[in-house]
Amino acid sequence: MRGEGALLIEYADLECPYCARANILLNDLPVRRIFRHFPVVSKHPRARLLAHAAEAAALQDRFWPMHDSLMDDQGRLEDPHLWERCRTLGLDLDRFEADRRTAAVAERVERDFRSGVRAGVMTTPTLFFDGRAHPGVPDAHLLARLAGLA
Amino acid sequence: MIAPGSPAPHFTLSDQDGNEVSLESLRGRTSVLVFYPLDFSPICTDQLNVYQEVLGDLEEQGAGLYGVSVDSAFAHKAFRERLGLTFPLLADFNPKGEVARRYGVYIEDRGHSRRALVMIGPDLEVNWSHEAPSPLEIPGANLIFDALAAR
């Protein structure tokens, strides 16, 4: 969770270019963002692995920095790039490597994914705001509402 | 579209590998027919990708999944490989859309089916059906789980 303001729950996939675009649009809005993983592996082969990496970073209080790092630079998602990101973000690399392979981290991601399925999420990103689902990259109307302007 | 309680209309269609799948071959287990407009179109891709992710859960609950569109078996084979799908895709190709027509989900002036789900029970009776309000809306996988739970 980050930010202050109205609650926004986002289901996203860290290997999804539409999610990366949505992240840029949401970054400076006055909303309280809750991120939930919705990795679609048949579409994005590294999505689940990246979700695990972000949760491993979360265990060192670096979820959002890792999230932003992955979202802002989607061309480099292989393991050596992850290690480089860890160094940049000041993560303990050995701990990261161990944590991202644990059952607890996998279960956390799976729990998010299943909660998305139950909520009817079928595409990423899907934003939940004001009690309803908004599938896809937020449009100008939704962004204005999120900004408190409409 | 076909209503719950009706006997499922008969069909025999080729899957992506040229194997015939008939209604009769579904006897004895619950099956879900996923009618979708076209292979390789953006929304169908999202829909089938997410169904693929929950396929294990559906199978655990005793349900098999079958995609159906008017595309040919060869197109299905390529589409399935592109998406990494493991459930069969059936070719409602010749006569085009005939099975979709029998299930009441064909859009004549567009030449493809609506986005619809039909659950067929082990006795080959329709248990549940759902049609998306528009082809742009994807029926959530949650609807299938809810229908399975309500059996």
Side-chain angles (χ1 to χ4, degrees):
Chain A
M1 186 168 74
R2 72 171 165 190
E4 294 292 336
L7 183 66
L8 175 73
I9 298 175
E10 49 184 292
Y11 282 89
D13 171 330
L14 293 169
E15 197 184 345
C16 163
Y18 298 100
C19 299
R21 170 78 183 137
N23 187 50
I24 292 169
L25 295 170
L26 295 174
N27 258 344
D28 297 320
L29 293 178
V31 285
R32 191 154 48 98
R33 292 172 67 180
I34 292 183
F35 183 94
R36 290 192 184 149
H37 296 284
F38 200 79
V40 180
V41 179
S42 54
K43 192 171 198 174
H44 302 129
R46 295 184 63 77
R48 197 168 277 266
L49 196 147
L50 297 174
H52 294 171
E55 285 306 316
L59 294 173
Q60 298 185 49
D61 291 327
R62 299 282 198 288
F63 174 81
W64 287 106
M66 180 61 88
H67 163 278
D68 287 343
S69 162
L70 293 168
M71 286 290 196
D72 291 347
D73 179 15
Q74 295 214 313
R76 303 182 316 121
L77 302 173
E78 303 299 320
D79 277 0
H81 303 135
L82 293 182
W83 302 329
E84 189 191 319
R85 292 176 202 276
C86 285
R87 277 190 289 273
T88 308
L89 300 177
L91 290 168
D92 176 332
L93 187 56
D94 288 338
R95 193 179 151 200
F96 171 82
E97 280 294 293
D99 284 345
R100 73 186 174 113
R101 293 177 170 80
T102 59
V105 157
E107 278 161 20
R108 165 65 206 259
V109 171
E110 184 61 22
R111 198 164 66 234
D112 278 6
F113 179 77
R114 281 166 190 262
S115 75
V117 169
R118 273 200 304 276
V121 173
M122 286 299 289
T123 191
T124 55
T126 292
L127 308 178
F128 285 85
F129 178 69
D130 265 0
R132 58 169 288 234
H134 303 271
V137 176
D139 60 16
H141 177 68
L142 178 60
L143 288 170
R145 282 180 58 210
L146 291 170
L149 302 173
Chain B
M1 78 174 303
I2 190 90
S6 321
H10 180 74
F11 63 83
T12 302
L13 293 174
S14 169
D15 75 5
Q16 69 285 339
D17 297 317
N19 302 312
E20 284 196 346
V21 176
S22 66
L23 175 69
E24 192 55 39
S25 71
L26 307 183
R27 187 180 289 282
R29 67 187 295 228
T30 297
S31 306
V32 180
L33 301 184
V34 179
F35 288 95
Y36 63 94
L38 291 164
D39 287 351
F40 295 103
S41 70
I43 292 175
C44 302
T45 305
D46 277 345
Q47 180 181 18
L48 299 182
N49 275 131
V50 173
Y51 290 174
Q52 174 67 35
E53 299 301 317
V54 299
L55 186 62
D57 289 355
L58 291 172
E59 285 173 346
E60 254 175 45
Q61 296 193 27
L65 206 60
Y66 297 85
V68 187
S69 79
V70 296
D71 298 278
S72 73
F74 295 108
H76 275 342
K77 189 177 177 70
F79 185 49
R80 199 167 168 270
E81 279 171 12
R82 163 77 80 85
L83 265 58
L85 304 179
T86 59
F87 55 89
L89 300 180
L90 309 182
D92 192 10
F93 181 67
N94 187 28
K96 187 184 175 194
E98 185 55 33
V99 174
R101 225 173 254 119
R102 284 181 203 162
Y103 281 77
V105 296
Y106 196 64
I107 311 176
E108 295 289 343
D109 58 351
R110 288 188 188 229
H112 61 66
S113 81
R114 295 177 199 283
R115 216 176 279 288
L117 302 171
V118 178
M119 185 174 289
I120 299 174
D123 55 355
L124 305 185
E125 186 172 282
V126 173
N127 282 342
W128 171 79
S129 59
H130 171 86
E131 185 181 309
S134 95
L136 297 177
E137 272 183 51
I138 310 179
N142 55 320
L143 300 176
I144 304 177
F145 287 107
D146 290 349
L148 282 171
R151 275 179 301 177

